[in-house]
Amino acid sequence: MRRRLRLRGDASLTLLLGAALGLLLYSQREGAAPTTSAPRTHRKAAREPTPGLRVFQASDAGAAPAPPAYEGDTPEPPTPTGPFDFGRYLRAKDQRRFPLLINQPHKCRGDGSPEGGPDLLIAVKSVAADFERRQAVRQTWGAEGRVQGALVRRVFLMGVPRAAGTDGAEAEGEGTRTHWPALLRAESRAYADILLWAFDDTFFNLTLKEIHFLAWASAYCPDVRFVFKGDADVFVHVGNLLEFLGPRDPAKDMLAGDVIVQARPIRARASKYYIPEAVYGLPAYPAYAGGGGFVLSGATLRRLAGACAQVELFPIDDVFLGMCLQRLRLTPEPHPAFRTFGIPRPSAAPHLRTFDPCFYRELVVVHGLSAADIWLMWRLLNGPQGPACAHPWPVAAGSFQWGP
């Protein structure tokens, strides 16, 4: 009898250990197996987003890195190589007025026509060393003059090249640091399109470019009808942009682009977009237009200049602009022709390559192109034979049409 009880106890213990081992192996298999399900969220399901809006969610803590909510609309130079120094930023965040070293006070005087100021002012973020991209913009989509009857003007927005060790990055070449003032002044004399301020030209100072440009345009371009603001590595179909702006009233509020909603601050310290809760404690950013390229009316330009002067500086420039819009209770307008995250290959047309003039001829902004890409696409779209397409069969004829 005693032996029977002992055997029964041994069997129970064996079953218990076996069950525990099975649960352990199952949990390890579940943790290691790939999954295609979306990360869990702790909020109620949102309504279906408006067509044209990009909806981003950061991953839960400890999960994979957050989606590239900013990677696609950030120019390569001068992106920092290490984490942001928030201590230094917080100590200097109230320094928001810097001298204008190179000005273009006559940029918006018009061309003598009775209409006055330009119909479209193109403002491009650049850095001192990126002369090649500026030349590509000047001689392709950013050329000044009359386009489809509209007067177009252009400026490049720059700060001082950063000194050795700024933000933990290596400095630009010694020759550039020594001669950049003379080089930029010579470039300004040749093209009359350089705006240079006395703050360091770093990625997290792009917000300073934002507020200084808004103040400059309000003072020197009070009659401008519309403003396009973007990066130097974008391709802009100015004809399509002007057609989009044709029925718009510059005296009414409007800011249109690749609108991003529900983007959550990235809390991973290793990310260059890390934002601690002490700097921004809300769970999501306000809606904003991707900084690669957006367009706004003259009325909105002047109102934004005033609003941004009252909003505390934030180290991500396009999010900061969204905060200024929120203060004005303005909602940015999404449009699918602004592609600040590049062009995905359409499943309905797998024969087309993403670098194909058939895509670009019906868009306004495409982000992430090299200077050579900008040159090539401009030639393909503006050649003597008209737009060239990479596929052999004909494309539907007719003028450019915007979707609903």
Side-chain angles (χ1 to χ4, degrees):
M1 182 68 178
R2 186 178 301 172
R3 183 180 178 186
R4 187 179 302 164
L5 291 173
R6 186 169 63 248
L7 290 174
R8 186 179 298 172
D10 291 345
S12 300
L13 181 61
T14 301
L15 288 173
L16 181 62
L17 291 174
L21 179 61
L23 289 173
L24 178 63
L25 292 174
Y26 179 79
S27 63
Q28 289 178 342
R29 182 182 69 83
E30 286 297 302
T35 178
T36 56
S37 62
R40 292 174 297 172
T41 60
H42 302 285
R43 61 175 183 268
K44 295 180 180 179
R47 293 179 299 173
E48 194 69 22
T50 303
L53 291 174
R54 295 184 183 272
V55 182
F56 286 125
Q57 287 182 311
S59 301
D60 290 340
Y70 311 109
E71 314 287 348
D73 58 335
T74 299
E76 190 61 29
T79 302
T81 58
F84 184 37
D85 183 355
F86 274 99
R88 179 181 176 186
Y89 169 76
L90 292 173
R91 288 191 298 271
K93 69 180 180 63
D94 294 327
Q95 299 178 15
R96 52 193 304 155
R97 292 186 179 182
F98 291 83
L100 183 57
L101 304 178
I102 298 180
N103 191 10
Q104 307 300 332
H106 308 306
K107 175 58 65 174
C108 293
R109 285 193 174 179
D111 59 354
S113 61
E115 289 82 6
D119 298 291
L120 177 65
L121 174 65
I122 295 173
V124 181
K125 294 174 287 187
S126 185
V127 293
D130 211 358
F131 176 76
E132 181 183 12
R133 286 192 188 276
R134 290 195 293 278
Q135 281 296 86
V137 171
R138 286 176 180 125
Q139 300 181 29
T140 57
W141 63 265
E144 293 189 314
R146 290 280 173 179
V147 179
Q148 297 178 185
L151 180 61
V152 178
R153 290 287 184 255
R154 172 197 66 239
V155 289
F156 290 98
L157 315 177
M158 287 187 277
V160 174
R162 57 189 171 191
T166 301
D167 287 341
E170 294 181 0
E172 297 178 11
E174 185 66 32
T176 303
R177 292 202 311 272
T178 303
H179 302 298
W180 69 262
L183 292 173
L184 287 182
R185 283 185 168 81
E187 186 176 347
S188 177
R189 288 192 297 270
Y191 300 103
D193 59 5
I194 300 294
L195 293 176
L196 175 69
W197 286 276
F199 53 79
D200 288 343
D201 207 341
T202 61
F203 169 68
F204 288 103
N205 275 350
L206 289 175
T207 300
L208 292 178
K209 282 189 182 179
E210 194 75 58
I211 64 173
H212 283 77
F213 167 69
L214 290 172
W216 178 89
S218 297
Y220 292 98
C221 298
D223 299 322
V224 65
R225 292 171 55 82
F226 297 97
V227 176
F228 172 83
K229 186 172 179 290
D231 294 337
D233 60 344
V234 299
F235 177 85
V236 181
H237 198 307
V238 177
N240 291 348
L241 177 60
L242 291 172
E243 187 168 346
F244 166 67
L245 296 175
R248 301 297 182 117
D249 184 353
K252 295 182 178 180
D253 280 317
M254 184 274 295
L255 189 148
D258 193 353
V259 176
I260 301 159
V261 298
Q262 300 178 8
R264 292 161 57 185
I266 296 176
R267 306 301 190 191
R269 289 183 178 273
S271 172
K272 63 188 177 185
Y273 300 108
Y274 164 65
I275 299 293
E277 290 191 44
V279 174
Y280 189 85
L282 297 178
Y285 292 133
Y288 64 92
F294 57 86
V295 64
L296 65 157
S297 66
T300 300
L301 169 82
R302 291 180 285 274
R303 292 189 67 202
L304 269 180
C308 289
Q310 303 174 39
V311 174
E312 186 172 356
L313 294 182
F314 191 75
I316 302 177
D317 63 322
D318 44 12
V319 174
F320 170 76
L321 199 64
M323 296 174 179
C324 300
L325 289 172
Q326 187 179 51
R327 185 178 183 87
L328 294 174
R329 298 186 180 182
L330 295 180
T331 302
E333 175 184 336
H335 201 290
F338 291 76
R339 303 294 183 90
T340 58
F341 289 82
I343 304 176
R345 185 190 300 272
S347 59
H351 57 279
L352 293 180
R353 297 188 299 272
T354 55
F355 191 79
D356 189 308
C358 293
F359 285 108
Y360 287 70
R361 70 178 182 175
E362 294 188 357
L363 297 176
V364 172
V365 177
V366 181
H367 188 261
L369 277 69
S370 69
D373 290 340
I374 294 173
W375 273 101
L376 176 59
M377 189 52 60
W378 178 259
R379 298 304 176 192
L380 290 174
L381 288 174
N382 296 275
Q385 305 302 322
C389 283
H391 58 83
W393 44 84
V395 178
S399 60
F400 175 81
Q401 296 292 328
W402 289 93

